Amino acid sequence: MPTSTDIAASIAQLRCEINDHNHHYYVLDDPQIPDAEYDRLMQRLQALERQAPELITLESPTQRVGAKPLAGFDEVAHRVAMLSLDNAFNDDDMLAFDARITKGLEVEQVTYCAEPKLDGLAVSLRYENGLLVRAATRGDGRVGEDITQNVRTISSVPLRLMGDDFPSVLEVRGEVYMPRVGFDALNKRQRDHGGKPFANPRNAAAGSLRQLDPKITATRPLAMYCYGVGEVDEQRLPTSHRAILACLKGWGLRVSPETDEVYGAAGCLEYYRKIGAKRDALPYEIDGVVFKVNSLKQQQALGFVSRAPRWAIAHKFPAQEEMTRLIGIDIQVGRTGALTPVARLEPVFVGGVTVTNATLHNEDEVRRKDVRAGDTVVVRRAGDVIPEVVSVVLAQRPNDARAFVMPTDCPVCGSEVRRAEGEAVSRCSGGLYCSAQRKEAIKHFASRRAMDIEGLGDKLVEQLVEVGWLNSVADLYDRSALPHEKLAGMDRMGDKSADNLIAAIDKSKQTTLAHFLFSLGIREVGEATARALANHFGNLPTIMEADEEALLQVADVGPVVVANLRAFFHEPHNREVIESLQRLGVQWPDVVAQKDLPQPLAGQTFVLTGSMETMTRDEAKGKLQALGAKVTGSVSKKTSYVVVGDDPGSKRDKADKLGVTLLDEAALRKLLEEPPNSSD
Ligand code: IVH
């Protein structure tokens, strides 16, 4: 029987170990053990604590969630006010800020600490003797709300500081936010359960922190980055902001790895652009960058104005959300006949461009958001993403706002609109009779990754379809349907451009089976599927006649693709177009059908990592697949071989750990040249 001292020692040891893993996982982003092993440690600790409940303390990692729901939040007075920041909206504002500082300090150049400006909520954490005793919102800067029990559920917030050289009272300030992936998953969960999704990660973070029941907060994927300190009882902190952040990091608090030191206005502007370029790739949302005079002595000399320090500024990025009026809801008909409701907007500058249209995705989405013509809406445009309507400002809805109804007939061709059961999309049933679908089908056919007809732009296709000279993709190759004079006479065309276009059309006649298949625009048949079909069957007639069973043999082809392929090739019109194209000279070499080749590597799974000398990874992949092997991106117990080139990534280590056989480039070449006999 273990004695109670044994149990106490094991508990202490386990807490230490778990805290250390937490720190690696949540703060350093560098997990040391698999999740399953972490779970086992937690279970062991829980079991021990059940045996000796008198040893349970609030700082135990098992006690992050435990408190009962609150009736309301208590008020917390901030002993050191939580200030706000002045904003700079352009380079000139930034230059003026730097000029004020250098003048005020009477120096040539100032050193700044540069940090991303996270889009979340400011939170203050109070540690006493290294233990988290209180967490509070900013509130009005002087008085906030006590959200201790909710913040305790955030894994990247340590319940106890690491080391022993921290001040006995240490108030840390930072931003609680919700990473994008977590936000998307949370919204999906909300939707699946019929709940209302959050408009953006910031709202989701705010909503999660204001839950009275910490068990709900615990399910929300929140994280925190620390960017400063409030009350500190002893003056033992370093004398620069950056050095203080380094201390916070040493005590186990999370500090943004983007934090940097920059010099003068030029350094600030360079940092602003660098982070701006990274903005959409960061795993969380930021709305700008913050510059803080690095020296605390200089900070003191500069002081404060009302609610913001003179020594710091937020240089904001263009807003990604703005309000505007929705004039009407139009319907766009896509290549596959999908009817997409599109919001026509009063022009608004958002995400760095002027937006006049925003997608509403589909009928259900319009209904869910309850978007009506005449409404004031919040429009979002982030990076290269298509602008979208996020929500309606209900308080500003006019009395005559009109609800949306999906048309029953196609607004372009008048054919019946159908919405298949279980599908979110309504489609025009007109097929290529519908000029909208025809335009899109031709644009797709001519696009770079399909038949690659240079110079056949979207506008030209639209015009040619509208005047009735281009009725099918076959017309492109038919000089009696579309002679030089007609092309030369179109807007922004001329003799020379018509010549060039005809040359490009002629050039596109020599293609590959995979490109041709892809260019037909069969629903769900993307580039990869087209390539798989071409390689598997080798020629078009076999694909056109293949039955369900044969098609299902192809890698990644499932019942939906099979149904689409069969329906497409069953349609006489489509067969005629294919025949015409071939008659007009479109051709490709047949390839040796994989299905007829021996598949000596069937059933084997390969992972490729690092670079090779004699072939690219894509080539190696193609060759392995041609021999029947499966090539995947991540190593697991099911992996048969990991091919290791130069500079291999972590996959090599993983293979080592799992005992998967490694092959170098020479061994791979040998295997490709002399594959094992399948009868071996
Ligand atoms: S410093 C005395 N640093 O921006 C300076 N704030 O507009 C106080 N924020 O309330 C704030 N990232 O919620 C600072 N790296 C950062 C920040 C940051 C985001 C937020 C914070 C603050 C607001 C001010």
Side-chain angles (χ1 to χ4, degrees):
M1 273 294 276
T3 66
S4 58
T5 22
D6 289 343
I7 295 185
S10 308
I11 285 182
Q13 154 76 22
L14 272 168
R15 284 180 188 166
C16 237
E17 220 176 302
I18 291 171
N19 281 338
D20 191 51
H21 287 307
N22 263 343
H23 180 240
H24 270 98
Y25 189 100
Y26 292 107
V27 180
L28 305 178
D29 282 331
D30 179 26
Q32 302 287 296
I33 51 169
D35 294 359
E37 179 59 23
Y38 176 87
D39 293 345
R40 276 192 284 276
L41 291 175
M42 272 299 251
Q43 279 159 11
R44 217 178 300 151
L45 176 59
Q46 275 159 350
L48 287 174
E49 288 183 344
R50 268 197 302 276
Q51 277 183 40
E54 69 282 4
L55 296 179
I56 299 179
T57 55
L58 258 187
E59 65 181 295
S60 171
T62 59
Q63 302 302 303
R64 280 200 180 262
V65 204
K68 296 208 170 51
L70 297 172
F73 297 105
D74 287 341
E75 286 192 345
V76 177
H78 300 300
R79 303 268 287 271
V80 175
M82 288 183 80
L83 298 172
S84 175
L85 289 169
D86 256 354
N87 291 321
F89 293 104
N90 52 46
D91 289 5
D92 285 346
D93 291 350
M94 263 316 290
L95 294 176
F97 166 76
D98 180 63
R100 273 199 308 275
I101 301 277
T102 40
K103 186 159 171 245
L105 293 173
E106 295 177 4
V107 292
E108 281 283 298
Q109 195 187 52
V110 180
T111 301
Y112 295 101
C113 180
E115 304 163 11
K117 185 170 187 297
L118 276 106
D119 205 3
L121 283 92
V123 165
S124 162
L125 308 174
R126 188 181 177 89
Y127 288 91
E128 287 179 5
N129 300 315
L131 289 185
L132 175 66
V133 295
R134 176 147 305 112
T137 61
R138 175 168 177 272
D140 63 5
R142 312 238 154 243
V143 179
E145 285 178 321
D146 185 336
I147 49 164
T148 313
Q149 43 170 352
N150 287 344
V151 169
R152 285 174 55 86
T153 68
I154 304 175
S155 307
S156 54
V157 172
L159 300 180
R160 170 191 273 283
L161 296 178
M162 286 173 18
D164 53 14
D165 59 342
F166 39 75
S168 55
V169 172
L170 174 68
E171 212 186 309
V172 182
R173 279 148 186 201
E175 197 86 349
V176 168
Y177 66 94
M178 189 174 287
R180 293 181 210 268
V181 197
F183 169 73
D184 291 342
L186 171 64
N187 262 0
K188 183 171 181 306
R189 236 162 48 214
Q190 294 282 108
R191 258 181 235 126
D192 290 350
H193 293 97
K196 197 169 156 7
F198 293 96
N200 56 45
R202 208 188 95 81
N203 288 2
S208 303
L209 276 186
R210 296 208 77 264
Q211 289 292 332
L212 289 169
D213 183 354
K215 292 207 168 53
I216 298 181
T217 311
T219 65
R220 302 287 171 83
L222 296 171
M224 180 168 182
Y225 271 131
C226 301
Y227 51 63
V229 292
E231 190 186 349
V232 181
D233 70 338
E234 304 146 54
Q235 286 310 308
R236 278 208 282 140
L237 291 183
T239 57
S240 82
H241 182 71
R242 258 203 22 116
I244 292 177
L245 294 185
C247 273
L248 296 183
K249 209 170 154 204
W251 294 325
L253 292 150
R254 204 152 155 268
V255 175
S256 168
E258 310 295 339
T259 304
D260 207 349
E261 196 167 282
V262 301
Y263 310 99
C268 291
L269 294 180
E270 190 189 329
Y271 181 83
Y272 175 81
R273 295 206 211 303
K274 189 184 93 185
I275 299 292
K278 262 184 157 177
R279 182 183 188 185
D280 295 317
L282 290 173
Y284 42 79
E285 296 209 333
I286 58 175
D287 57 350
V289 289
V290 181
F291 298 106
K292 298 172 184 166
V293 170
N294 195 33
S295 149
L296 296 202
K297 214 162 137 202
Q298 290 183 333
Q299 286 188 3
Q300 258 159 22
L302 290 159
F304 302 84
V305 272
S306 63
R307 302 182 56 190
R310 277 209 196 87
W311 43 263
I313 197 153
H315 190 179
K316 302 285 285 267
F317 292 134
Q320 292 183 319
E321 283 183 8
E322 288 292 354
M323 274 177 8
T324 190
R325 210 175 68 86
L326 185 142
I327 306 165
I329 298 178
D330 295 341
I331 294 288
Q332 244 169 35
V333 184
R335 172 165 63 84
T336 57
L339 265 54
T340 308
V342 177
R344 196 157 19 93
L345 304 168
E346 246 161 40
V348 57
F349 190 73
V350 54
V353 297
T354 302
V355 168
T356 50
N357 289 308
T359 179
L360 285 162
H361 302 290
N362 56 52
E363 190 180 3
D364 293 349
E365 188 86 355
V366 181
R367 202 152 297 149
R368 197 171 56 69
K369 289 181 177 157
D370 188 21
V371 183
R372 304 185 188 182
D375 270 337
T376 297
V377 292
V378 176
V379 177
R380 178 176 175 81
R381 181 191 178 269
D384 294 333
V385 185
I386 309 170
E388 63 165 354
V389 171
V390 179
S391 56
V392 174
V393 184
L394 279 178
Q396 297 189 24
R397 171 166 285 169
N399 290 334
D400 59 349
R402 277 166 291 122
F404 171 73
V405 213
M406 187 55 107
T408 48
D409 299 332
C410 172
V412 177
C413 73
S415 301
E416 191 195 340
V417 169
R418 295 189 199 131
R419 181 171 165 183
E421 209 169 303
E423 267 208 38
V425 184
S426 309
R427 286 178 205 279
C428 158
S429 58
L432 291 178
Y433 167 74
C434 174
S435 69
Q437 292 187 55
R438 219 156 53 223
K439 284 178 190 168
E440 296 310 313
I442 298 170
K443 287 180 201 168
H444 169 79
F445 180 87
S447 65
R448 200 175 47 77
R449 285 164 22 217
M451 296 297 278
D452 192 17
I453 305 179
E454 221 185 298
L456 186 61
D458 290 358
K459 286 270 167 315
L460 183 56
V461 171
E462 283 167 19
Q463 281 178 53
L464 287 168
V465 171
E466 272 157 29
V467 293
W469 291 343
L470 183 54
N471 291 307
S472 92
V473 291
D475 289 348
L476 288 170
Y477 296 92
D478 185 351
R479 288 287 77 80
S480 61
L482 208 53
H484 178 277
E485 317 81 75
K486 279 188 175 169
L487 287 173
M490 303 305 291
D491 277 358
R492 280 190 298 263
M493 291 290 284
D495 274 341
K496 183 97 182 73
S497 343
D499 280 344
N500 291 344
L501 178 56
I502 290 174
I505 291 173
D506 284 343
K507 187 167 154 222
S508 75
K509 286 180 184 166
Q510 305 296 331
T511 184
T512 64
L513 177 54
H515 277 106
F516 184 74
L517 268 178
F518 173 60
S519 74
L520 294 176
I522 305 166
R523 245 203 273 168
E524 310 270 339
V525 178
E527 274 177 292
T529 308
R531 212 174 311 124
L533 286 163
N535 288 339
H536 184 90
F537 291 104
N539 63 66
L540 188 60
T542 322
I543 298 174
M544 289 175 69
E545 301 313 328
D547 60 15
E548 181 170 355
E549 198 188 339
L551 288 168
L552 283 172
Q553 298 298 312
V554 184
D556 297 330
V557 168
V560 175
V561 174
V562 171
N564 291 339
L565 282 165
R566 305 258 301 152
F568 185 91
F569 290 125
H570 192 73
E571 173 66 49
H573 171 80
N574 293 334
R575 298 177 81 97
E576 277 161 30
V577 171
I578 291 172
E579 251 172 55
S580 311
L581 284 168
Q582 290 187 290
R583 188 166 30 78
L584 292 161
V586 174
Q587 53 180 294
W588 55 87
D590 284 348
V591 283
V592 182
Q594 238 169 44
K595 69 178 175 54
D596 301 332
L597 284 173
Q599 303 268 288
L601 297 182
Q604 313 259 35
T605 306
F606 286 70
V607 173
L608 306 170
T609 178
S611 57
M612 286 177 277
E613 263 169 33
T614 58
M615 58 187 128
T616 65
R617 276 215 296 272
D618 268 347
E619 282 164 359
K621 183 175 172 183
K623 288 179 182 171
L624 285 166
Q625 283 173 336
L627 295 172
K630 203 168 151 195
V631 181
T632 66
S634 62
V635 182
S636 75
K637 269 185 276 178
K638 290 190 193 133
T639 312
S640 326
Y641 298 100
V642 172
V643 179
V644 184
D646 277 346
D647 272 336
S650 58
K651 290 174 190 168
R652 189 217 153 98
D653 304 335
K654 182 123 189 240
D656 268 343
K657 261 194 209 142
L658 295 174
V660 177
T661 310
L662 301 178
L663 296 180
D664 61 11
E665 186 173 347
L668 172 68
R669 278 219 313 277
K670 185 150 181 289
L671 186 75
L672 293 173
E673 277 154 25
E674 300 163 33
N677 195 322
S678 26
S679 59
D680 279 354

